[in-house]
Amino acid sequence: MRLWSLHPQYLDGKGLVALWREGLLARKVLKGKTKGYKHHPQLLRFRKQADPVIYVDTYLYHVYLEANKRGYSFKQDKLGGKFTDKLIPVTEGQLMFELEHLKQKLLLRDKKTYTKIKDLIIPKPHPLFYTVEGKLELWEKSKPHNKPES
């Protein structure tokens, strides 16, 4: 499961669809409707909030908006009706790690989208997050990798 801290505008089509599906799975986990993924580290930042489901719904709503811009027909009715305007912090280190991770994926999967972001240095966070100083988030379990070669 990868719930990107990066703005969904950077994802290719496959990545956006995967994010929607994984976000919906995260929503089920946070509602207690699955047996697996209960302790997935990506969910920690949502679990820390007073109402984790409202935060994941807000997260998914922004994914839905990005999908709409691209002509996808994600179903908003899969989300609850409540959203928040409160933001969750994410470290600069996490965003940079995710940017390099995404570049690696796109280099193999979607060279056109890779070309659009390959020179990006400071990425925008997903609209649910705001950037703070810091290294990789403690919940991140993936290993940093080298910058992709173009």
Side-chain angles (χ1 to χ4, degrees):
M1 180 185 297
R2 167 68 59 190
L3 298 175
W4 296 96
S5 306
L6 296 170
H7 197 290
Q9 74 185 37
Y10 302 126
L11 300 174
D12 62 331
K14 284 183 181 181
L16 194 62
V17 170
L19 179 59
W20 179 251
R21 288 183 178 152
E22 291 173 7
L24 291 174
L25 172 60
R27 187 176 194 277
K28 281 185 180 178
V29 171
L30 292 171
K31 290 184 84 163
K33 295 190 175 191
T34 64
K35 291 186 180 189
Y37 293 99
K38 287 182 181 177
H39 304 289
H40 198 284
Q42 289 270 333
L43 299 178
L44 289 176
R45 57 186 163 178
F46 293 98
R47 288 191 192 280
K48 287 181 179 179
Q49 308 312 312
D51 191 333
V53 175
I54 287 176
Y55 279 82
V56 81
D57 279 352
T58 303
Y59 180 92
L60 283 165
Y61 180 69
H62 289 287
V63 175
Y64 164 82
L65 292 176
E66 180 63 28
N68 269 358
K69 281 185 200 174
R70 299 187 195 188
Y72 290 86
S73 57
F74 292 2
K75 297 186 186 298
Q76 186 180 353
D77 63 359
K78 292 190 180 255
L79 310 178
K82 293 182 181 178
F83 303 104
T84 185
D85 58 356
K86 294 179 182 162
L87 303 180
I88 299 172
V90 63
T91 61
E92 292 170 340
Q94 183 66 33
L95 286 174
M96 299 311 295
F97 167 77
E98 289 186 22
L99 178 61
E100 294 309 316
H101 184 65
L102 179 59
K103 286 179 182 180
Q104 290 277 339
K105 286 180 168 288
L106 293 175
L107 187 59
L108 299 173
R109 185 173 72 205
D110 187 329
K111 292 215 186 329
K112 185 177 176 184
T113 304
Y114 170 75
T115 301
K116 290 180 186 176
I117 71 162
K118 73 178 182 148
D119 296 324
L120 183 63
I121 297 170
I122 301 174
K124 286 199 271 186
H126 180 287
L128 180 62
F129 303 118
Y130 69 95
T131 309
V132 296
E133 283 187 33
K135 297 180 180 182
L136 203 59
E137 295 281 358
L138 294 175
W139 50 258
E140 180 61 65
K141 299 300 180 193
S142 296
K143 301 271 190 256
H145 33 106
N146 298 326
K147 291 188 177 200
E149 313 240 343
S150 40

